[in-house]
Amino acid sequence: FEAKERGIMSRRPRAPHAPLLDSMMVGRIVIVGVLLLGGAFGLFEYTTSAGYTTEQARAVAVNVIVFGEIFFLFSCRSLLRPSWQSGFRTNPILFAGVAAMIGLQMLFTYVPAMNSLFGTAPISAPTWLYIIGVGILVHIVMETEKWVRRRREARRTPAEIC
C-alpha cells in the first residue's frame, strides 16, 4: 500500500538474473537482526538482574523485537531517502496497521489470559522507555546506513555508474 518513491523510474533496472535479496538488503537484514537480538537479550539480562521476574523479562524481550520492527518499518518506506521525506499522510493503512500491532502488543503484555498463554507478565510503564529506546536506535542506525549509502552514490563517477 506504500506509494511509489519519487524518482523510481530514473533508477537503473534490476538485472533479470540478479537475486531479489542483494547484498544491500542482506546487509540491512543482518544489521537489524543484530540490533534486535542485542536489544532483546540485553534488556532481558538487564531486567532480570534488576529484579524483574523471568516472565516480565520475557515480555520485555518480545516487545523489543516487535517495537524494533515497527521503527524499522518506518525506515523501510524508502530504500535511500530519509524516512521523514516519505510523508506521514501518504499511507494511512501503514498507520492503521501499526496502531493495530501496538494494540495487540498491549493485550499480549497486560491481559492475564495472554500472560498465562505465553508465560509473560505485565511490565511497568518506565520499562517502555527502554523498549522504545531500542526501537529508536534501530531507526537511527538504519537511517544512518541510508545516509552513508547516499553519500557513496553521490561520490561515484559516471564511469563507475555505467
Side-chain angles (χ1 to χ4, degrees):
F1 298 108
E2 191 67 40
K4 305 293 183 275
E5 283 188 70
R6 287 182 312 196
I8 195 167
M9 295 305 289
S10 63
R11 286 191 211 154
R12 290 180 56 195
R14 185 179 62 81
H17 64 278
L20 290 177
L21 290 178
D22 60 8
S23 61
M24 176 186 74
M25 296 304 286
V26 170
R28 286 181 178 175
I29 291 168
V30 168
I31 292 168
V32 171
V34 167
L35 290 170
L36 292 177
L37 178 70
F41 278 113
L43 283 182
F44 184 90
E45 289 297 319
Y46 171 75
T47 53
T48 54
S49 69
Y52 288 59
T53 65
T54 301
E55 291 78 14
Q56 288 172 314
R58 193 174 296 135
V60 168
V62 170
N63 279 301
V64 163
I65 292 168
V66 171
F67 280 84
E69 287 291 340
I70 288 171
F71 279 86
F72 178 51
L73 174 65
F74 286 100
S75 182
C76 288
R77 293 181 70 198
S78 172
L79 288 175
L80 294 173
R81 288 185 307 131
S83 60
W84 56 87
Q85 288 183 0
S86 295
F88 289 105
R89 296 184 185 161
T90 58
N91 190 349
I93 294 172
L94 171 77
F95 290 97
V98 167
M101 191 68 234
I102 291 171
L104 290 170
Q105 280 308 114
M106 294 305 112
L107 293 175
F108 167 84
T109 304
Y110 295 108
V111 172
M114 299 295 274
N115 295 150
S116 295
L117 181 64
F118 292 106
T120 59
I123 56 177
S124 64
T127 307
W128 285 101
L129 295 175
Y130 297 116
I131 295 167
I132 299 302
V134 172
I136 291 170
L137 176 66
V138 168
H139 189 79
I140 289 170
V141 168
M142 297 318 298
E143 289 298 311
T144 302
E145 187 270 344
K146 288 194 296 187
W147 178 80
V148 168
R149 191 168 298 281
R150 284 191 311 272
R151 301 269 303 183
R152 281 188 194 153
E153 287 295 317
R155 289 182 183 160
R156 290 177 68 187
T157 64
E160 291 176 295
I161 294 171
C162 298

